[in-house]
Each structure stands twice: as structure tokens, then as C-alpha cells.
Amino acid sequence: IYGSVTISAGVFSGNGAGMQVHGDWNVTGGSFTSGTCAQCYVTFQGAVDQHIDASSFHWVYFYTTVGNIYLDGDVTITNLATFGTRIVYGKYGATNAKLIFNDGADAAAENGSSFFVGAVRKVGNDVFQFPIGKNNTWAPLGIAAPPNVTDVFTAEYINAPYSSLTPLEAGLDHVSNYYYWDLTQNTGTSSVKVTLYWKDNLMGVDDLATLRVARWDGSQWKNLNGATSGNVNTDGDITTSSAVPNPPNYGPFTMAS
């Protein structure tokens, strides 16, 4: 489709066929149903900035070749969202749209240059890596599989220091003063392990031996220790040594030493 899609009434069905959209996705009335077949995908592949109104997609590709993609309302994924080449913005200006993954849905990234800016929500009991970042920094957060299909988590990466950098629990010397992740459990009280990621050493990691995961519990930064993998000069991750207890709710996480 060399132009924009506008759904103004009724039901627009993509069942049985894939679509490549080179313009905006406007929903002023009616709804869209993509179906659940192997070819039921929508690819956003424009050569300009593209805007997407609130919708639900079975399978979506974010492949805009020039410019970026902007969500003008919450977008729900029921199967897979693939991040190809550009950044997808949910938070920009006065807009604060979420990308929501239903139970069983997943995200895939072809490289570290494509991710979501804003809050990503995950429903269900799946292992999941939130495809988040900001300011050209790919910075996912991962969770182990929650026990309940009704569990709901929301994560966002913030490229600024948390408002409090002290006090620190024993075993911590300092926490990052450049960034943190905010993780909230919206439904349920499940305890899961949490993984923080870095790429191309953009997070300032310099020593795997002393690297820790820290969590703000409302009064201090707790030392969650962690198991590392990867390399400080390229890509890596650190996973909390045990499941993070909830309650209290998850809150801010960052890397620490």
C-alpha cells in the first residue's frame, strides 16, 4: 500500500494476506482484524516517519527505511513484533502510548538499532525480553517466566539517573548515575528473576567481577548480586541471583558495583 491506511467504519480484515504499508495507519472508526495465519502480517516500510493509531496486530514488522515510527495510541501484539531498522516511539511530545504483548506474544530484534521508546507491557507466563531503549541506546530488560497466565508486567528504560543514588545496602559501592529501568507488576504478586542488558559498552560496564544488579525498594538500593555473561567491550547481561521478591512491587533497577 503506497500511502496511508484509514479505517473509518466497519471491520477491515487482513486475514489470509500480508500487507506492506508505506504511509500512516489511521483508525477513526471501525476496527482492524489481522487473522492468525502465517501470512497475516503488517509491515511498516515507509520512506518517511509513520504514525500508527491504536490497533491490534497478530504479526507486525517495523521496517521503516527512513524516519521513525510513532504510536498515537496503545498497540497490542498477539503473536510477534519484529524490530528491523528503525526506532518505534510510544513516548514523544504529549503522547505516552504503550506497546502491549499478549500472553504467548513475543518480540524479535534484528539488530541493536531498532527498539521501543516508552513503556512496554507483557501479559502472561512467558519468558520475555522487553524491547526497550532510548536516545540510540538499545537497553532491554528481561524477566523469567512468571507462574501465572494472568500476570502483567510493564517496563521502561530511562536514560537519566534515578532521583536518589543513596543510601546503599552493604556490598554496593555505587549505582549508575546515568540510567535505570522501571519495572512494575500491574497484575499479580509473582517473584521472577530480572536481567539487564548492554550493547557495545554504551552502559559504561567496565568490570564483570564487581558488577551487580541494584533495586530501589523505596528507602535504599538493595544489592541483588547477579550472574554475568558476555563482554564489557561488546555485549552482555546480568541476571539477579534469585527471583526478586514481590511484594514490594519491583520498581527501579540499575547496574551497580
Side-chain angles (χ1 to χ4, degrees), residues 21-209:
V21 180
H22 293 253
D24 294 336
W25 184 273
N26 304 308
V27 181
T28 59
S31 62
F32 171 71
T33 177
S34 60
T36 59
C37 65
Q39 293 78 35
C40 295
Y41 60 84
V42 177
T43 300
F44 290 94
Q45 197 171 353
V48 296
D49 287 346
Q50 292 182 270
H51 286 257
I52 304 173
D53 281 347
S55 295
S56 178
F57 299 100
H58 176 68
W59 189 0
V60 64
Y61 287 90
F62 297 119
Y63 275 130
T64 301
T65 55
V66 178
N68 295 299
I69 296 173
Y70 297 85
L71 303 191
D72 293 339
D74 292 351
V75 167
T76 299
I77 309 300
T78 60
N79 179 46
L80 180 66
T82 300
F83 291 78
T85 55
R86 308 302 293 177
I87 297 174
V88 182
Y89 289 88
K91 178 175 283 188
Y92 63 96
T95 301
N96 193 11
K98 295 184 295 295
L99 186 60
I100 302 168
F101 291 81
N102 283 355
D103 180 47
D106 204 358
E110 295 191 346
N111 56 66
S113 65
S114 183
F115 48 81
F116 186 78
V117 176
V120 172
R121 180 163 292 175
K122 181 67 179 79
V123 180
N125 58 349
D126 312 301
V127 174
F128 189 70
Q129 184 184 99
F130 292 83
I132 49 181
K134 196 171 185 180
N135 280 15
N136 297 318
T137 300
W138 174 88
L141 178 146
I143 58 172
N148 306 306
V149 71
T150 54
D151 284 334
V152 180
F153 287 83
T154 301
E156 183 175 356
Y157 171 73
I158 295 93
N159 65 325
Y162 188 64
S163 56
S164 298
L165 301 179
T166 58
L168 306 171
E169 188 179 37
L172 295 179
D173 176 73
H174 63 277
V175 299
S176 172
N177 63 345
Y178 296 104
Y179 55 81
Y180 68 96
W181 291 261
D182 189 54
L183 178 65
T184 301
Q185 186 163 17
N186 308 94
T187 303
T189 56
S190 300
S191 298
V192 298
K193 287 187 175 183
V194 173
T195 302
L196 308 179
Y197 295 83
W198 68 87
K199 183 176 180 63
D200 299 331
N201 200 25
L202 295 176
M203 316 298 285
V205 175
D206 58 11
D207 185 2
L208 293 184

Side-chain angles (χ1 to χ4, degrees), residues 216-251:
W216 180 255
D217 71 353
S219 60
Q220 69 171 339
W221 285 100
K222 302 287 287 184
N223 180 10
L224 303 185
N225 295 302
T228 60
S229 67
N231 189 294
V232 296
N233 297 315
T234 54
D235 307 343
D237 61 74
I238 182 169
T239 301
T240 57
S241 297
S242 59
V244 179
N246 184 29
N249 210 321
Y250 287 78

